[in-house]
Amino acid sequence: MMNFKHVWYIAIKNLRIFLTDRIAVIMFILFPFFFITMLNLIGNTSNVQDERLTLYLATQESEGLSVQIIQALETGDPTALPPGSPVITWLKDYGQAKTDVEAGKIRGFLGFPSDFTQRIESAETAVLEIAARSDSTGMQMALKSLAENLTANFNTNRAELLTVAGILSQQGRSTQEIQQALKPIIERQSANSGSQAIIGYQVQRVGDIQPFNISSFAVPGYLVMFVFFAGAIASIEIIQERRNHTLERLLASTVSKKSILGGIYLGGLLRGLVQIVVFWTVGILIFRVDLGIAPWAVFLLSLLMVMMSAAFSLMLATIARTERSASALAVLCSLLLAPLGGCWWPLFTVPAWMQFLAKITPHGWANEGFNNLMIFGARGGDVVWSMVVLAGFTVVFALVALTRFQTEAEVS
């Protein structure tokens, strides 16, 4: 049976060893911020260009509300737009728009169905379509935000449109006359930048254009790398205790094997918690990182990364027989998985085959979740799969460690 008092004492002992080791503290807590600072200095010296976001719209209707909405929103000369305003372009051929997405000519578009006008006039739900390439996460998020804005704000103005359409229908007006009468209402609502617009955006420019905050990528990237690295290196301590017969002495003093494993694992969790608290505190206060609209998801993803790293540490200690082999495997795994999993560069900037390879690493899932939350404005529900996969890695590593864990006497 597991004795939680024993678990706690072993965990605190391991945490104390880590915190009193100056080299370990410098390496796994302070050293990462040297890289983050250098990246920020390099990024701030580069020229910043105001690259406009282009959003494409398409409809399967030849006439109707969707056509009027797109006409009201379509932008003219991009140079005449306020700084930061997106360019909205109408793709007249719906089928060709899908072909262009598949061919990679455009990253995606928001489509209106062929029965959009009919459903709106019948007070039914009209489903919009987002067609985007799987490797264009940013465009997916932008189109999703546009669709949500359309849905929310259109429902607000729906009553006015339906009332006018109903009155005109009772007067015996034709469908074309009703649509023509609704057109100025749609244009007025679209021109309004407040919450009553069918689709609206409000641009507020304060000061000069600010460069992208590199820390929003660098802080979570190095957090993933060094939390995992610290966990991997900690496997050496487990092997040392096994070689020094410390684990056997604990077993002889009525401490169960489950308590030993639990204490080592909890110690790894506490060490990782110290790391993520320092990372996010420094990241928020000094590097001004933005946690997005779901900070709780960022912290939960960090906790899952810590849990996975602690489980990997246990598993590595059961695989390696000596401190030298454990050290070599720890460094190899950490330096291989970090770039492969997107710790050194954003995954959304690399080719599709590299993004595919990242999926086989826990680092890739963690960094994808952090990027979506902190850069693309995703909600907590959008990164559930990243959390589930990290939890799956944790369970697999823990099961391997539990089945293979042995003392020195058992190894001999």
Side-chain angles (χ1 to χ4, degrees):
M1 295 294 293
M2 182 181 294
N3 187 312
F4 291 100
K5 187 176 181 180
H6 293 162
V7 170
W8 177 252
Y9 284 152
I10 295 173
I12 292 299
K13 182 263 297 182
N14 290 344
L15 179 62
R16 187 182 297 115
I17 292 175
F18 172 74
L19 294 178
T20 54
D21 187 344
R22 295 181 180 178
I23 300 299
V25 171
I26 293 174
M27 178 66 183
F28 298 116
I29 295 182
L30 302 181
F31 191 58
F33 292 108
F34 169 78
F35 290 105
I36 298 172
T37 302
M38 292 300 296
L39 286 174
N40 274 275
L41 291 176
I42 295 172
N44 290 337
T45 58
S46 60
N47 294 327
V48 180
Q49 301 294 332
D50 181 18
E51 182 180 353
R52 293 187 184 277
L53 174 66
T54 300
L55 299 178
Y56 295 99
L57 303 179
T59 177
Q60 298 184 54
E61 294 185 313
S62 57
E63 60 180 3
L65 290 177
S66 63
V67 174
Q68 296 172 21
I69 291 173
I70 296 176
Q71 287 175 339
L73 289 174
E74 189 177 20
T75 53
D77 183 7
T79 60
L81 296 174
S85 301
V87 176
I88 298 179
T89 302
W90 182 9
L91 302 176
K92 302 296 179 64
D93 190 332
Y94 195 94
Q96 184 61 43
K98 279 202 166 184
T99 302
D100 290 344
V101 172
E102 295 173 356
K105 294 182 179 180
I106 61 175
R107 291 181 294 168
F109 69 91
L110 178 64
F112 292 79
S114 58
D115 58 351
F116 181 81
T117 301
Q118 177 185 349
R119 285 184 171 275
I120 293 299
E121 292 179 348
S122 304
E124 299 178 0
T125 300
V127 179
L128 302 181
E129 176 187 9
I130 296 177
R133 295 184 59 83
S134 58
D135 57 351
S136 299
T137 307
M139 180 56 67
Q140 292 178 31
M141 293 297 177
L143 291 174
K144 181 179 179 181
S145 178
L146 178 63
E148 290 175 348
N149 194 8
L150 167 65
T151 303
N153 292 328
F154 193 86
N155 288 336
T156 305
N157 297 278
R158 199 175 197 174
E160 179 181 2
L161 294 172
L162 291 177
T163 300
V164 173
I167 294 175
L168 295 177
S169 178
Q170 291 178 359
Q171 294 177 353
R173 302 289 183 90
S174 65
T175 301
Q176 184 176 3
E177 290 176 329
I178 294 175
Q179 293 176 357
Q180 190 65 30
L182 293 179
K183 184 174 182 179
I185 300 177
I186 295 174
E187 292 176 346
R188 171 178 56 79
Q189 292 176 346
S190 299
N192 179 11
S193 61
S195 61
Q196 297 301 316
I198 289 181
I199 306 178
Y201 55 83
Q202 184 175 9
V203 178
Q204 181 179 8
R205 185 182 184 189
V206 181
D208 296 330
I209 299 172
Q210 296 298 319
F212 169 71
N213 187 0
I214 297 178
S215 298
S216 295
F217 150 73
V219 170
Y222 282 107
L223 179 148
V224 170
M225 175 180 174
F226 281 92
V227 165
F228 184 85
F229 199 180
I233 289 294
S235 63
I236 300 175
E237 300 174 3
I238 303 173
I239 295 177
Q240 288 175 342
E241 291 189 346
R242 188 176 67 198
R243 300 280 287 181
N244 295 333
H245 302 284
T246 303
L247 301 181
E248 295 173 20
R249 289 195 291 270
L250 287 174
L251 289 172
S253 62
T254 70
V255 179
S256 68
K257 185 180 292 188
K258 290 183 178 180
S259 296
I260 295 175
L261 281 171
I264 296 173
Y265 183 74
L266 180 59
L269 287 181
L270 295 178
R271 180 189 59 248
L273 287 175
V274 171
Q275 287 182 278
I276 64 175
V277 167
V278 173
F279 264 88
W280 289 125
T281 301
V282 175
I284 294 171
L285 298 181
I286 297 180
F287 293 99
R288 304 297 180 183
V289 298
D290 184 359
L291 300 183
I293 60 176
W296 64 268
V298 174
F299 294 128
L300 180 56
L301 204 60
S302 304
L303 179 60
L304 288 170
M305 188 66 202
V306 169
M307 295 172 62
M308 182 277 300
S309 300
F312 180 83
S313 176
L314 278 176
M315 184 189 72
L316 188 58
T318 66
I319 295 175
R321 298 291 300 272
T322 65
E323 293 93 328
R324 182 174 298 178
S325 61
S327 176
L329 286 173
V331 173
L332 178 63
C333 291
S334 300
L335 295 184
L336 179 63
L337 296 180
L340 191 61
C343 294
W344 295 0
W345 40 67
L347 285 175
F348 52 85
T349 64
V350 301
W353 65 269
M354 290 189 64
Q355 296 185 32
F356 174 78
L357 289 179
K359 295 294 186 180
I360 67 176
T361 71
H363 299 55
W365 289 95
N367 282 315
E368 182 183 79
F370 284 128
N371 291 339
N372 288 340
L373 290 168
M374 300 175 61
I375 297 177
F376 299 117
R379 293 179 171 85
D382 298 323
V383 296
V384 169
W385 270 115
S386 295
M387 298 179 181
V388 170
V389 173
L390 281 178
F393 275 111
T394 303
V395 172
V396 171
F397 293 157
L399 288 176
V400 173
L402 188 62
T403 56
R404 291 180 54 89
F405 184 77
Q406 295 175 319
T407 64
E408 178 64 20
E410 293 171 325
V411 171
S412 301

